[in-house]
Amino acid sequence: MAREFEDHCWKDVIDADTIAIYQAYRRQTYVGDNPAVLAIDLYNKAYQGGNRPVREVDREFPGSCGEHAWKALPLTQKLFAAARRARVPVIYTTRHVDTGGVQSTNRAMGRQRDDIYDIKAELAPQPGELVIYKERASGFFGTPLIAHLQQQRINSLIICGESTSGCVRASAVDAYSHGYHVVLVEECCFDRSALSHKVNLFDLHHKYADVMHIDEVIAQLSATSPAVKKAS
Amino acid sequence: MAREFEDHCWKDVIDADTIAIYQAYRRQTYVGDNPAVLAIDLYNKAYQGGNRPVREVDREFPGSCGEHAWKALPLTQKLFAAARRARVPVIYTTRHVDTGGVQSTNRAMGRQRDDIYDIKAELAPQPGELVIYKERASGFFGTPLIAHLQQQRINSLIICGESTSGCVRASAVDAYSHGYHVVLVEECCFDRSALSHKVNLFDLHHKYADVMHIDEVIAQLSATSPAVKKAS
Amino acid sequence: MAREFEDHCWKDVIDADTIAIYQAYRRQTYVGDNPAVLAIDLYNKAYQGGNRPVREVDREFPGSCGEHAWKALPLTQKLFAAARRARVPVIYTTRHVDTGGVQSTNRAMGRQRDDIYDIKAELAPQPGELVIYKERASGFFGTPLIAHLQQQRINSLIICGESTSGCVRASAVDAYSHGYHVVLVEECCFDRSALSHKVNLFDLHHKYADVMHIDEVIAQLSATSPAVKKAS
Amino acid sequence: MAREFEDHCWKDVIDADTIAIYQAYRRQTYVGDNPAVLAIDLYNKAYQGGNRPVREVDREFPGSCGEHAWKALPLTQKLFAAARRARVPVIYTTRHVDTGGVQSTNRAMGRQRDDIYDIKAELAPQPGELVIYKERASGFFGTPLIAHLQQQRINSLIICGESTSGCVRASAVDAYSHGYHVVLVEECCFDRSALSHKVNLFDLHHKYADVMHIDEVIAQLSATSPAVKKAS
């Protein structure tokens, strides 16, 4: 099941010299102990305009990830189902509509619908699942996420969502800094730019996280008996 | 003096569609008020093996940025000189040799010379300049940097150093999250991978920071009378 | 106007030896530059049961500060009015009713009315004023407060609210740690325990903050022309 | 073994009304799972001038805790021995001699001996034990402590050291905020002021931590088989 360390979406953009330079990072990837899924910014805004190229939806719906969001949607549903079967918590991030001037990035924003920061219905939190409201890119910055992780004895994170080059990356770097083992699910992360998606996953895989394919992650989640997992 | 918003090193790797999607981020770039230079990880390790391609120096000196480090060196000296003339503080980050297991990235490391984390002599801190010791990628994580910035009434940062895709990026994202205006000096940031360098600067420029050319930054620093600067 | 350094409410509980030991902390107290008022947890819950001894209101309204809250109320209105006249921002903290298990202290809590964490009407935020929602004692922990302070170029804080020995103390210590000059307005801080109130103000005054009387604070705010204030 | 919830050193200073008000906090105290000992600022400075009243040693050695430090010394040695027998990590905090202007409190300090921030020899770290260097009161602020705790799968802390009303309190509040179960060992915490010591332990016991007697803590540590404890 385990694939080659560099068998990922960045293969067509990273050259051989760079792969050679980064050889020292090769290692076995794995889902860590006592994991939680951290689902970054899977709100309606990312899907607006439908399953079409970003360039097309962007005119009317700035911030939409278009076809990249829609392609990841059924796979993310699968990921959540596998996590819940294994009693692995699913934790969401989103933002409040109006946060008084502190924005997660520099982008100019016009008026917005009221529900654009609601989690997409197909991926909606189940009763009791935690939703973290943030104002910055990282799910850790300016939020009590770290306290909830500690109280739930979470020791590792499985991160998915958008955008790979924005809030996913910032959250993954912060998770690593705080001492968590981090997995990024390649097919469940998405971005508006294909190149940024690939290069950011490459950076993260070598420096801070294990980028894994969804089939590998689901297989490891399924192999995890909840009873054993919670023996800590 | 001000150049076109996308007139940067990433021009040859970012396609027209992506540039179009990111139009909403266009704005005037500038050095903010009450700045400090934040010089990330300009330690000996980055220069080991000399002014040669990374692929060549990497065999003997893992972690060296080779020719990219050496190309940025005289320009970084210029930047520091301009900052000191304008009485803009220069703040350095580096790391202790042994940090008991908390590493800034996942890379396997062998035994190391004792002075590899000393700041390169040509760029050495002057008496009284602050050096922040960190264990993670970001200069903010696990350090008292934020307290020093507040006590010195620093309101914006001019970031340079290495690596663009590692500690520079993590520090820039954290600076933005904390509410600072951030400038990245394109010619004074460097990386082991040219593509990661370019794509990370592209990401940062659009989401979190103003990537500026060194001539623009030095011109704005020179125009800043220290007396006027502190009136903001 | 300036009173003696130890001329405060703790005079009747701190003995002469301790005052002698703490002499090294004596200094001029002052409202810092570019201040904001940070109003801690001035929500309805603190006033429930009315202007009566805590011991009496506590049976029905656990968490109420009773007479101590009511005594501080008109003075806090005066403080806010003086701040707004001087164009000093007033920033509030409170909490959401349900925070999924992360509590600010260990106290067991029963069912609660829906508006208990609304700011008391007499002290309500004016349009545009910032309200920070927190889950822990400190207004800095797990909130984006630091980013808002930096973006508004706030360099010092004037703290009031409750409880002195809980959220006020935790917020003041964190403000000091982050590099802010901190003033505590003695008459506008309150607690359920008189001794804890006094000893915590004593601790804070000597280690982290300037405890000042409301007349001193209002005088310094009034002397501050908004135009001059921003020249600092 | 377990004593009454209020059977602690504050009995002679907290009045009956206050005890009544705080009844809602009564609960079973305990050493949490996967603990570490966090030993706050047990450096030479605290012991200078010897086993004499603080008032006497303070003239020559400002910052010394005098007899309070010396009384806690053999008990702290016992605590460390019990922890090491149970394979519970001991983590120390101290500070660098010169930290460029960021101080943990407001106290004016003169010139200092070079070894005043070395851990007292009788309590010295054993090889491999972690020492955290901090510039502020809390062991969490501006340090990578949180990352080390997470990497070692620490879930609770047993805090001792000095001063109760300064760095111990700040560290305990931050530990609670981050989601850790916190125990304070009454006999191994000390302060320069007896009243501040008592009232701060009272505050912490009711709001953030379990203040326990050293015999209770050692009994619980001894009952913990390392093999079972590390089954997580």
Side-chain angles (χ1 to χ4, degrees), chain B residues 59-130:
Chain B
R59 284 166 210 151
E60 196 177 351
F61 302 105
S64 174
C65 295
E67 61 189 350
H68 304 309
W70 287 91
K71 189 173 169 194
L73 179 53
L75 298 167
T76 307
Q77 290 178 295
K78 270 195 181 177
L79 175 67
F80 287 5
R84 287 169 182 142
R85 271 196 307 273
R87 296 194 200 161
V88 165
V90 180
I91 300 171
Y92 296 76
T93 68
T94 185
R95 49 178 298 142
H96 291 292
V97 173
D98 182 356
T99 56
V102 175
Q103 304 294 340
S104 59
T105 76
N106 282 319
R107 197 152 54 80
M109 294 194 287
R111 277 188 172 270
Q112 301 167 329
R113 272 173 49 202
D114 269 349
D115 67 348
I116 59 169
Y117 295 117
D118 287 356
I119 303 297
K120 179 97 178 120
E122 293 90 324
L123 302 168
Q126 298 195 347
E129 288 181 339
L130 180 64

Side-chain angles (χ1 to χ4, degrees), chain C residues 106 165 169 196 200 203 207, chain D residues 106 165 169 196 200 203:
Chain C
N106 282 321
S165 69
R169 175 160 181 157
S196 279
N200 275 278
D203 290 345
K207 297 175 200 279
Chain D
N106 283 319
S165 69
R169 174 159 181 159
S196 279
N200 275 278
D203 289 345

Side-chain angles (χ1 to χ4, degrees), chain A residues 135-200:
Chain A
E135 300 189 0
R136 295 305 202 178
S138 167
F140 288 85
F141 187 87
T143 79
L145 175 57
I146 190 76
H148 289 273
L149 296 180
Q150 175 54 34
Q151 293 200 171
Q152 295 185 44
R153 302 290 188 267
I154 303 300
N155 287 329
S156 69
L157 292 170
I158 299 165
I159 299 182
C160 65
E162 62 93 17
S163 67
T164 315
S165 69
C167 300
V168 167
R169 175 161 180 156
S171 300
V173 172
D174 269 3
Y176 177 80
S177 288
H178 281 86
Y180 294 91
H181 178 78
V182 180
V183 164
L184 292 162
V185 188
E186 178 172 322
E187 294 82 0
C188 299
C189 294
F190 52 98
D191 202 288
R192 301 202 295 146
S193 154
L195 181 64
S196 279
H197 173 73
K198 291 174 182 178
V199 172
N200 275 278

Side-chain angles (χ1 to χ4, degrees), chain A residues 1-230:
Chain A
M1 174 67 67
R3 308 216 192 140
E4 222 286 295
F5 189 69
E6 301 288 355
D7 182 15
H8 287 288
C9 61
W10 54 76
K11 279 192 299 187
D12 62 342
V13 299
I14 308 295
D15 63 28
D17 267 16
T18 304
I19 294 293
I21 292 166
Y22 277 90
Q23 276 197 84
Y25 290 92
R26 279 169 196 268
R27 62 195 185 278
Q28 186 68 37
T29 61
Y30 62 96
V31 173
D33 62 311
N34 290 343
V37 171
L38 184 62
I40 305 291
D41 294 2
L42 294 172
Y43 39 59
N44 290 321
K45 188 182 175 184
Y47 302 86
Q48 285 182 310
N51 192 351
R52 288 185 296 147
V54 178
R55 182 72 206 270
E56 285 178 29
V57 297
D58 185 64
R59 285 165 209 151
E60 195 177 352
F61 302 105
S64 174
C65 295
E67 61 189 350
H68 305 309
W70 288 91
K71 188 172 169 195
L73 179 53
L75 298 167
T76 307
Q77 290 178 294
K78 269 194 182 177
L79 175 67
F80 287 5
R84 287 169 182 140
R85 271 196 308 272
R87 295 194 202 160
V88 165
V90 180
I91 300 171
Y92 295 77
T93 69
T94 185
R95 49 178 297 143
H96 290 293
V97 173
D98 181 356
T99 56
V102 175
Q103 304 293 341
S104 59
T105 76
N106 282 319
R107 197 151 55 80
M109 294 195 287
R111 280 189 168 270
Q112 301 167 327
R113 274 172 50 200
D114 270 349
D115 67 350
I116 58 169
Y117 295 118
D118 288 356
I119 303 297
K120 180 97 178 118
E122 293 90 326
L123 302 168
Q126 297 195 347
E129 288 182 338
L130 180 64
V131 181
I132 294 286
Y133 291 81
K134 66 188 177 71
E135 300 189 0
R136 295 305 202 178
S138 167
F140 288 85
F141 187 87
T143 79
L145 175 57
I146 190 76
H148 289 273
L149 296 180
Q150 175 54 34
Q151 293 200 171
Q152 295 185 44
R153 302 290 188 267
I154 303 300
N155 287 329
S156 69
L157 292 170
I158 299 165
I159 299 182
C160 65
E162 62 93 17
S163 67
T164 315
S165 69
C167 300
V168 167
R169 175 161 180 156
S171 300
V173 172
D174 269 3
Y176 177 80
S177 288
H178 281 86
Y180 294 91
H181 178 78
V182 180
V183 164
L184 292 162
V185 188
E186 178 172 322
E187 294 82 0
C188 299
C189 294
F190 52 98
D191 202 288
R192 301 202 295 146
S193 154
L195 181 64
S196 279
H197 173 73
K198 291 174 182 178
V199 172
N200 275 278
L201 285 185
F202 173 83
D203 289 345
L204 288 163
H205 187 56
H206 291 83
K207 295 175 202 281
Y208 312 111
D210 289 0
V211 176
M212 292 174 68
H213 294 285
I214 186 163
D215 53 352
E216 297 174 295
V217 173
I218 288 180
Q220 292 200 17
L221 284 173
S222 304
T224 311
S225 148
V228 172
K229 184 180 62 72
K230 288 295 179 190

Side-chain angles (χ1 to χ4, degrees), chain C residues 172-210:
Chain C
V173 172
D174 268 2
Y176 177 81
S177 288
H178 281 87
Y180 294 89
H181 178 78
V182 180
V183 164
L184 291 163
V185 189
E186 179 173 320
E187 293 82 1
C188 300
C189 294
F190 51 99
D191 202 287
R192 301 201 294 147
S193 154
L195 181 64
S196 279
H197 173 73
K198 291 174 183 180
V199 173
N200 275 278
L201 286 185
F202 174 82
D203 290 345
L204 289 164
H205 188 56
H206 291 82
K207 297 175 200 279
Y208 313 112
D210 289 0

Side-chain angles (χ1 to χ4, degrees), chain D:
Chain D
M1 175 67 65
R3 309 219 191 136
E4 222 285 295
F5 189 69
E6 302 287 355
D7 182 14
H8 287 286
C9 61
W10 55 76
K11 279 191 299 185
D12 62 342
V13 298
I14 309 293
D15 63 27
D17 268 14
T18 303
I19 295 292
I21 292 166
Y22 277 90
Q23 276 198 83
Y25 290 91
R26 279 168 196 268
R27 61 194 186 279
Q28 185 68 38
T29 61
Y30 62 96
V31 172
D33 61 311
N34 291 342
V37 172
L38 184 62
I40 303 293
D41 294 1
L42 293 172
Y43 40 58
N44 291 320
K45 188 181 177 184
Y47 302 85
Q48 285 183 309
N51 191 352
R52 287 185 296 147
V54 179
R55 183 71 205 273
E56 287 178 27
V57 297
D58 184 64
R59 286 165 208 151
E60 195 177 352
F61 303 105
S64 174
C65 296
E67 62 189 349
H68 305 309
W70 288 91
K71 188 172 171 197
L73 180 53
L75 299 167
T76 307
Q77 290 178 296
K78 267 195 184 176
L79 174 67
F80 287 4
R84 287 171 182 140
R85 269 195 308 275
R87 296 197 200 157
V88 165
V90 180
I91 300 171
Y92 294 77
T93 68
T94 185
R95 48 178 298 142
H96 290 293
V97 174
D98 181 355
T99 55
V102 175
Q103 305 294 341
S104 59
T105 76
N106 283 319
R107 198 153 53 80
M109 294 195 288
R111 278 188 171 269
Q112 301 167 327
R113 272 173 49 202
D114 270 348
D115 66 349
I116 58 169
Y117 295 118
D118 288 356
I119 302 297
K120 178 98 177 119
E122 293 90 325
L123 302 168
Q126 298 195 347
E129 288 182 338
L130 180 65
V131 181
I132 293 287
Y133 291 82
K134 66 187 178 71
E135 299 189 0
R136 296 303 203 180
S138 167
F140 288 85
F141 187 87
T143 79
L145 175 58
I146 189 77
H148 289 272
L149 296 180
Q150 174 54 33
Q151 291 199 171
Q152 294 186 46
R153 301 291 188 267
I154 304 300
N155 287 330
S156 69
L157 291 171
I158 299 165
I159 298 182
C160 65
E162 62 92 19
S163 68
T164 315
S165 69
C167 299
V168 167
R169 174 159 181 159
S171 300
V173 171
D174 268 1
Y176 177 81
S177 288
H178 281 87
Y180 294 90
H181 179 77
V182 180
V183 164
L184 291 161
V185 188
E186 180 173 319
E187 294 83 359
C188 299
C189 294
F190 52 99
D191 201 287
R192 302 203 294 147
S193 154
L195 182 63
S196 279
H197 173 73
K198 291 173 182 179
V199 173
N200 275 278
L201 285 184
F202 174 82
D203 289 345
L204 289 163
H205 187 56
H206 291 83
K207 295 176 200 282
Y208 312 112
D210 289 1
V211 176
M212 293 174 68
H213 294 286
I214 186 163
D215 53 352
E216 296 174 295
V217 173
I218 287 181
Q220 292 202 16
L221 282 173
S222 305
T224 309
S225 149
V228 171
K229 184 181 65 72
K230 289 295 179 190
S232 61

